[in-house]
Amino acid sequence: MSQIVRPTFLNLPEDKQARIIEAALTEFADKGYPQASLNTIVARSGIAKGSLYQYFTDKTGIFLYIFDFAISVVRRLLVQVKESTQEEDFFTRLEKSLLAGVAFIKEHPKIYGIYLKILFDQQAPQRQELLQAVRRFAADYFHSLLRQGRARGELRQDLPLTTTTFVLDALLDRFLQAASVPAFDVSLGLDQAGEEELLRRVQELMDIIRHGLAAGKKYEP
Amino acid sequence: MSQIVRPTFLNLPEDKQARIIEAALTEFADKGYPQASLNTIVARSGIAKGSLYQYFTDKTGIFLYIFDFAISVVRRLLVQVKESTQEEDFFTRLEKSLLAGVAFIKEHPKIYGIYLKILFDQQAPQRQELLQAVRRFAADYFHSLLRQGRARGELRQDLPLTTTTFVLDALLDRFLQAASVPAFDVSLGLDQAGEEELLRRVQELMDIIRHGLAAGKKYEP
DNA sequence: TCTCTATGTGACCAGTTGGTCATATCAAAT
DNA sequence: ATTTGATATGACCAACTGGTCACATAGAGA
């Protein structure tokens, strides 16, 4: 980080820092890394171009600082959800996690936007590392939920944990995308669903995760 | 389309057309729409900048033409898989579809790349329409599989079809992404998996789709 | 008041972009 | 040999990019 932010920036009055962070976050979330314009950031935060280079080393530096900021916000949420649902059963925890995700995105659309952008931007700096950090975080989360659930006998004992982690990660991640990227969601129409419809979809999803699709005799342990 | 390609392009010798399509496909798949450089396309296909504008109206025109070309290739595959598995049971069909997808991406990485790029490129022209077309295509496919499977009694009779479609779309799509975008795949390591490991993962995935996660008594119709 | 350091500034730079256009090339028809 | 219509070309343009730098400003300590 010390290679990225200059002390000058940290000495700045907090509201000025906030203005710059906000402007940069917006721009990166809107356009992605390579298309984001420093001129726009500078104009929106009301500072001079030169000043930007007194705060950060270069465009990459700005981006990494912003991403780091975003990550820290997400991390706080996940830890909190995990702890506050410690006592509940597996499926309730899963459901609450998903709903917490939906609420988070509604509250911090730009943070989610920057994540989506980086997802397929080959040119975002350190993309590989940044993405793996995020997904690993999610994977660890699910894995831990699964282990506890299995230990309590709420889940099939023979579940392959890594594949199951993959399934959960895929389903919840995609559900969030569907709820916030209309183009993504052909079937459910989540982007303009009301609270109650969203809840119904979540429950249908949980039911499928529980019982699967097959008719007839179920798995016997 | 007539607004997009000029007749001049279609009059060109086929190998010249192919060279240009190839160069454009590569560039768009590599960089995405806004970052793709016409200069690069021109250089790689060995034609003059001016010529490009005798073939297409503008950058958007080139992109839409290429995308259209890509879509037609995908469409052919899906139709073929659907027909050739007509007689099999639901889960076998699903499994074969997924494996066909993996094979397709291996054979046409650029076509898949262009799809991934457009996925989150807010600035790709007509992005909304293009994406919806693709996803709708997939959704229709799964929906049709599901209806047949349910009619044959292979699936729970009370399955909510749209949510189930969503589940299948999410899982298979993500599986394909994991198999081709390493950063995306923390848990399974599919990108460097051998044939046999990949097959095992597919079967584990199918098992989870069949039976779900829950222990104990299964759903009774 | 003068000095010194930290901070602020915007004209400026080279490089790249998508797009244009006057001109050149060429094949067929007359 | 000449005309004609389609096709090919690359120098050129305005707009923008990330990044620089000589200079202005301000505030604290002397």
Side-chain angles (χ1 to χ4, degrees):
Chain A
M1 283 278 284
S2 50
Q3 312 283 22
I4 286 172
V5 216
R6 298 229 157 90
T8 309
F9 179 72
L10 302 171
N11 291 340
L12 251 38
E14 276 197 25
D15 62 311
K16 195 168 185 177
Q17 284 188 37
R19 247 169 47 224
I20 296 171
I21 291 182
E22 174 68 16
L25 190 58
T26 304
E27 180 67 0
F28 282 119
D30 270 15
K31 313 246 191 84
Y33 176 79
Q35 281 290 300
S37 160
L38 299 189
N39 292 328
T40 304
I41 294 178
V42 151
R44 272 214 274 259
S45 54
I47 64 173
K49 185 89 153 282
S51 298
L52 208 51
Y53 283 84
Q54 300 231 355
Y55 305 150
F56 305 94
T57 59
D58 53 9
K59 192 183 184 182
T60 298
I62 304 173
F63 175 74
L64 291 179
Y65 181 78
I66 294 296
F67 194 85
D68 204 77
F69 167 84
I71 280 273
S72 73
V73 180
V74 175
R75 183 169 292 137
R76 230 173 303 148
L77 170 88
L78 271 187
V79 170
Q80 191 214 318
V81 173
K82 192 166 172 179
E83 285 178 355
S84 76
T85 62
Q86 196 79 280
E87 300 304 321
E88 326 241 22
D89 79 298
F90 175 81
F91 294 102
T92 309
R93 292 184 89 177
L94 202 60
E95 186 175 330
K96 286 195 174 173
S97 304
L98 182 51
L99 289 173
V102 173
F104 178 84
I105 290 176
K106 202 167 188 173
E107 194 177 354
H108 305 281
K110 287 170 193 164
I111 290 186
Y112 189 60
I114 214 171
Y115 163 69
L116 289 185
K117 277 294 165 3
I118 203 188
L119 213 50
F120 292 106
D121 239 336
Q122 224 73 35
Q123 311 183 49
Q126 301 184 36
R127 169 174 173 269
Q128 187 96 353
E129 294 83 342
L130 296 183
L131 275 190
Q132 284 200 358
V134 174
R135 298 252 55 82
R136 170 100 50 197
F137 212 71
D140 285 352
Y141 181 77
F142 291 128
H143 208 267
S144 141
L145 252 58
L146 280 170
R147 258 182 294 117
Q148 290 189 35
R150 193 161 70 172
R152 297 185 194 170
E154 295 159 3
L155 304 178
R156 292 163 45 188
Q157 295 300 314
D158 68 332
L159 269 185
L161 278 204
T162 57
T163 301
T164 310
T165 299
F166 169 84
V167 166
L168 294 181
D169 191 29
L171 287 178
L172 299 219
D173 200 37
R174 181 64 159 260
F175 192 90
L176 294 182
Q177 287 176 12
S180 51
V181 186
F184 222 164
D185 172 28
V186 182
S187 26
L188 298 187
L190 285 182
D191 56 305
Q192 44 190 2
E195 190 68 24
E196 77 294 349
E197 183 181 344
L198 197 126
L199 260 168
R200 210 186 70 236
R201 293 300 187 187
V202 170
Q203 273 151 19
E204 289 179 355
L205 179 60
M206 291 301 147
D207 175 72
I208 294 176
I209 294 179
R210 255 181 226 263
H211 301 301
L213 307 190
K217 280 258 310 257
K218 92 154 248 312
Y219 168 80
E220 296 294 345
Chain B
M1 282 280 283
S2 51
Q3 312 283 19
I4 286 171
V5 217
R6 297 230 158 89
T8 308
F9 180 72
L10 302 172
N11 291 340
L12 250 40
E14 275 197 27
D15 62 309
K16 194 167 184 179
Q17 283 188 37
R19 248 169 48 225
I20 297 171
I21 291 183
E22 174 68 16
L25 189 59
T26 304
E27 179 68 2
F28 282 119
D30 269 15
K31 314 249 190 82
Y33 176 78
Q35 282 289 300
S37 159
L38 299 190
N39 293 327
T40 304
I41 294 178
V42 152
R44 273 214 275 257
S45 53
I47 63 171
K49 186 88 154 281
S51 299
L52 208 51
Y53 284 85
Q54 300 229 354
Y55 305 150
F56 305 94
T57 59
D58 53 9
K59 191 182 185 183
T60 297
I62 304 172
F63 175 74
L64 291 180
Y65 182 79
I66 294 296
F67 194 86
D68 204 76
F69 167 84
I71 280 273
S72 72
V73 181
V74 175
R75 183 168 293 139
R76 230 173 303 149
L77 170 88
L78 271 187
V79 169
Q80 190 215 318
V81 173
K82 192 167 172 180
E83 285 177 357
S84 75
T85 62
Q86 196 80 278
E87 299 306 319
E88 325 243 21
D89 79 297
F90 175 82
F91 293 102
T92 309
R93 293 184 88 178
L94 202 60
E95 186 175 329
K96 287 195 174 172
S97 304
L98 182 52
L99 290 173
V102 172
F104 178 84
I105 291 177
K106 204 167 187 173
E107 194 177 352
H108 305 280
K110 286 171 196 164
I111 290 186
Y112 190 61
I114 213 172
Y115 163 70
L116 288 184
K117 276 294 165 3
I118 203 189
L119 214 49
F120 293 105
D121 239 337
Q122 223 73 36
Q123 310 183 52
Q126 303 183 36
R127 169 173 174 270
Q128 186 96 352
E129 294 82 343
L130 296 183
L131 276 189
Q132 285 201 357
V134 175
R135 299 253 55 81
R136 172 100 50 195
F137 212 71
D140 285 352
Y141 181 77
F142 291 128
H143 207 266
S144 140
L145 253 58
L146 281 170
R147 259 182 295 118
Q148 290 189 35
R150 193 162 70 171
R152 297 187 194 170
E154 294 158 6
L155 305 177
R156 291 163 48 189
Q157 295 300 315
D158 69 329
L159 270 185
L161 278 202
T162 56
T163 300
T164 311
T165 299
F166 168 85
V167 166
L168 294 182
D169 190 29
L171 287 178
L172 298 219
D173 200 38
R174 181 64 159 261
F175 192 90
L176 294 182
Q177 286 176 14
S180 51
V181 186
F184 221 164
D185 174 28
V186 182
S187 24
L188 298 187
L190 285 183
D191 56 305
Q192 44 190 1
E195 190 69 22
E196 76 296 347
E197 183 181 346
L198 195 125
L199 259 167
R200 209 185 71 236
R201 292 302 186 185
V202 169
Q203 271 149 20
E204 288 179 356
L205 178 61
M206 292 301 147
D207 175 72
I208 293 176
I209 294 179
R210 254 180 227 265
H211 301 300
L213 308 190
K217 278 261 306 267
K218 92 153 245 315
Y219 168 79
E220 297 294 346

